[in-house]
Every structure is written in structure tokens, then in C-alpha cells.
Amino acid sequence: MRIGIEGQRLFRPKKHGMDMVALELIKNLQEIDQENEYIIFVKPDEDNTCIPEAPNFKIVELSAPGGYPVWEQWALPRAARQQGCDLLHCTSNTGPLRSKVPLMITLHDIIYMEKLSLFQKGSTWYQRLGNVYRRFVVPPVLKRSKCVITVSNFEKDRINEFFGLKPGKLTAVYNGVSPHFRKVTDPDLLLNAREKYRLPKRFLFFLGNTAPKKNTPGVLKAFADFNAKQETPYYLVMLDYEEAKLQQILRDIGHPGLRAYIHLTGYVPNVELPAIISQAKLFLYPSLRESFGIPILEGMACGVPVITSNTSSMPEVAGGEALLVDPFQPAEITAAIEQLLNDEALYQSLSERGPKRAAQFSWRAMAEQVLELYQGIHQKTTVV
């Protein structure tokens, strides 16, 4: 069988969420499957060595004028047909409306189908246009797909509520956590991270971005209320966040002076995150809405207590090994921070239980399940 995998963004230097899931799928398929042929379709960019070489894996770089929609709707299905693919797996929520090659799609979430997310305050025009595109493309693509994967049982239920897919067409396949996420104890690695990213001595870690669902205003308000009670203030470490947007949020929530206690690291490659997380006192991830929440597992794997939300998929992923809060109530986030920092027994318990929970999720298991789905689709579409 010749399997095409859409990985348009994999060569971009700053990878996020869905990019990492697709990359881990490819890497693990390389380890478990030497029989089938794979064609990986990517857009040319700087990081063109991120996919390891393998005899049965071929990389095809596709360029298309007009941006992502033209690449996906024209260049991708054309190339998949030319390469003789028996199946095309689109990994990032959308896919071509017309494809002569049988289609499979990973639908990570349908947040963009919800009224809350289309033109929510705080979203960029790029995010809004992306949501409009997905609203237009996803429903017909789902109808044409032979199989649909999502990443949690919560999201599976949401998709069925919206689209009412035929029984057996939609499967939940959990994401994993990469093995390099573990508690870092090597003094040299810790020192290198402290010096490279100029980390403060005492800090909480917040993995947020500009997407409204990440709840950045709520987290910053909670952190401000917490820090106001401390004789020795903590710092909040955030990653690749724009200075102007951060200062605007701080003005909006009435805490412009909090900027002195927020440390922005800039972009951090995924493999360097454990050395930062391992030095944090707490890991904050109280999103408003997630389809899975890989960072919950990454924080747990590093032995850092995690505060996350009691909404959407997050309790499913945390499995009782994190402190859950109502993300719409900043006071609850503040109270959870105080509880963990004042309750040594609870803090130690979550530090010890977190890695055990994270170990239950692996990219290899995810790839094995996806491979079974490939084989099932091929059997159904092959004419005997």
C-alpha cells in the first residue's frame, strides 16, 4: 500500500500542536512499518531535515501560489494522484474537497464550528479567516472521508453532535507524550537552560498563546492576584508571546505593572522544553477549551504539578492527577496555586503521580492504531 500523509507545515522552523502530532506519527510509523510505502507532502521551508530518512518514506515538496487553501485544494490532491497513493491522510483538520485518492482526516477539534470561537475577542484576523475556511471546508470533507480520527472521547462526542457521522467512521486515537519529556536533573542541562533563556529563580510556567481558548487574560489576572499576597513575588515564565499583545492584555485586566514579573523566553524548541519545565514550581494550563491538551502530559512527565481545567477534554487527559479548576473563574486559579504551594503533601503527591499518568500515553501506540486504520481503509477500498 502507498500511503500519502499531508504534512504541509512540518518544515517550518517554529512548530506547534498539530505539526508535532504529525511529525511524531511519521517518526513512529518509520519504526513499526517497513512494508508499506509512504509519501510525505510538505511545503518547502527552513527545517527540511526534521523527518528522518527511511527506505520506504519519500518526501515530496509542493509549492503553490495563493497560500494554504490553494496548496491543499489543488497541489495536494494532484500530487497524491500523481504519486499513485492508495490513501491520503490529511493530518490537520482540513483536506481537499475533491480528491480521487481515498481520504482520511485527523479532525483534532471543531472549536471553529462553535459560536464562541469564530470572531472571539482577542483572536487575530489570520485566526478568524482560518476559522471561516474550516467552517466551509470541513463538513463536505468529512462526508467524503473514508475514516475520521479525533484525539479524545470528549471531542468524538462533540463531532458526532455536530455532524452525526455514520457508526464506525469516527475513531478516537489519543495523542502521546514524547520520551524526552521527563524530569531533568542533570545540573549542566539545567544551568544551560537557565542561562540560555535567562530564567528567574522562582517561577510558575504558563504555556499560552494568542488563541482566545488559551485563557491568557484569566491566567494573568489569577497570577496578579496571587503575587499581590507574596512577600517575595514569583515570576511567570511564558514562551513565544508578542510583547505588544502581552502589554495590551495587562492594561485590559488592570495590571500593567505585572509586566515586571513576567519573563518571555521567545520561541523554545520542543526538545529544550523539559529543562525549563523541570525548574518550574507549577505548570499552569487552565485553557477554556481543548480537544486533548498534550502540554498537560508534558508537565506531568517532568514531575511538575499541573493546574488545568475541569472543562472539555482536560479531565479525561489528566485522569485525576492534576488540580482541576473552572477556567472562567480566575479566583479559582489563584486558589489552586495557593493550595499547591501551601500543601506539601498534595504537591509531592501530584509530582509523583504525574509521570505515571503521562507514561500511559505514547506516540508509538498512536501510530499503531493509525496504521490499523490505514489497513482497514485499504481493505475496504481494494477491489478483489
Side-chain angles (χ1 to χ4, degrees), residues 299-333:
M300 287 179 169
C302 294
V304 177
V306 175
I307 294 174
T308 190
S309 301
N310 59 9
T311 62
S312 59
S313 65
M314 289 169 276
E316 181 181 346
V317 174
E321 310 303 347
L323 203 56
L324 302 182
V325 298
D326 180 350
F328 295 93
Q329 301 296 329
E332 282 202 23
I333 304 173

Side-chain angles (χ1 to χ4, degrees), residues 73-316:
Q73 299 301 328
W74 178 76
L76 177 61
R78 181 170 179 268
R81 186 178 70 253
Q82 291 175 341
Q83 291 291 330
C85 293
D86 299 300
L87 167 68
L88 175 60
H89 179 189
C90 292
T91 65
S92 303
N93 276 349
T94 57
L97 292 166
R98 296 172 184 247
S99 173
K100 294 184 178 180
V101 176
L103 190 65
M104 172 177 174
I105 183 172
T106 296
L107 190 58
H108 293 266
D109 64 70
I110 54 167
I111 295 173
Y112 44 84
M113 299 298 298
E114 299 166 351
K115 292 180 180 179
L116 176 68
S117 298
L118 186 58
F119 292 110
Q120 188 173 2
K121 181 181 178 181
S123 62
T124 65
W125 276 107
Y126 179 82
Q127 290 167 334
R128 293 175 179 180
L129 289 173
N131 286 341
V132 171
Y133 174 75
R134 294 182 186 97
R135 280 196 167 201
F136 173 76
V137 167
V138 168
V141 168
L142 290 184
K143 290 182 180 179
R144 292 180 172 85
S145 297
K146 301 297 181 183
C147 176
V148 180
I149 294 175
T150 194
V151 294
S152 66
N153 288 311
F154 166 82
E155 203 64 33
K156 180 180 178 180
D157 291 342
R158 291 294 290 152
I159 293 168
N160 273 325
E161 286 176 16
F162 265 88
F163 299 108
L165 300 180
K166 294 179 181 179
K169 187 173 185 177
L170 176 62
T171 302
V173 178
Y174 282 144
N175 290 322
V177 59
S178 300
H180 64 268
F181 279 94
R182 62 190 185 281
K183 187 170 184 62
V184 178
T185 57
D186 185 314
D188 291 334
L189 291 177
L190 296 173
L191 178 60
N192 287 341
R194 280 200 301 273
E195 292 181 344
K196 180 175 181 179
Y197 296 107
R198 305 183 309 279
L199 298 177
K201 290 183 178 180
R202 290 201 321 167
F203 67 90
L204 314 183
F205 184 80
F206 171 49
L207 192 61
N209 57 38
T210 57
K213 71 173 186 175
K214 293 303 181 183
N215 196 23
T216 300
V219 172
L220 293 179
K221 187 176 188 311
F223 177 66
D225 292 343
F226 161 74
N227 237 11
K229 305 172 188 177
Q230 306 305 307
E231 291 184 9
T232 304
Y234 279 79
Y235 284 82
L236 185 69
V237 169
M238 299 171 61
L239 301 186
D240 196 18
Y241 210 92
E242 293 182 22
E243 179 68 38
K245 291 182 178 179
L246 173 61
Q247 296 210 23
Q248 182 60 57
I249 291 174
L250 294 177
R251 287 194 294 270
D252 289 345
I253 65 173
H255 291 284
L258 188 65
R259 180 64 187 89
Y261 298 100
I262 298 174
H263 181 67
L264 300 180
T265 64
Y267 178 75
V268 178
N270 189 266
V271 294
E272 296 182 19
L273 277 174
I276 296 177
I277 297 172
S278 295
Q279 300 182 70
K281 196 67 178 174
L282 297 175
F283 189 111
L284 306 182
Y285 198 73
S287 295
L288 301 179
R289 166 78 160 82
E290 294 288 339
S291 60
F292 187 82
I294 295 173
I296 295 170
L297 299 178
E298 293 173 344
M300 287 179 169
C302 294
V304 177
V306 175
I307 294 174
T308 190
S309 301
N310 59 9
T311 62
S312 59
S313 65
M314 289 169 276
E316 181 181 346

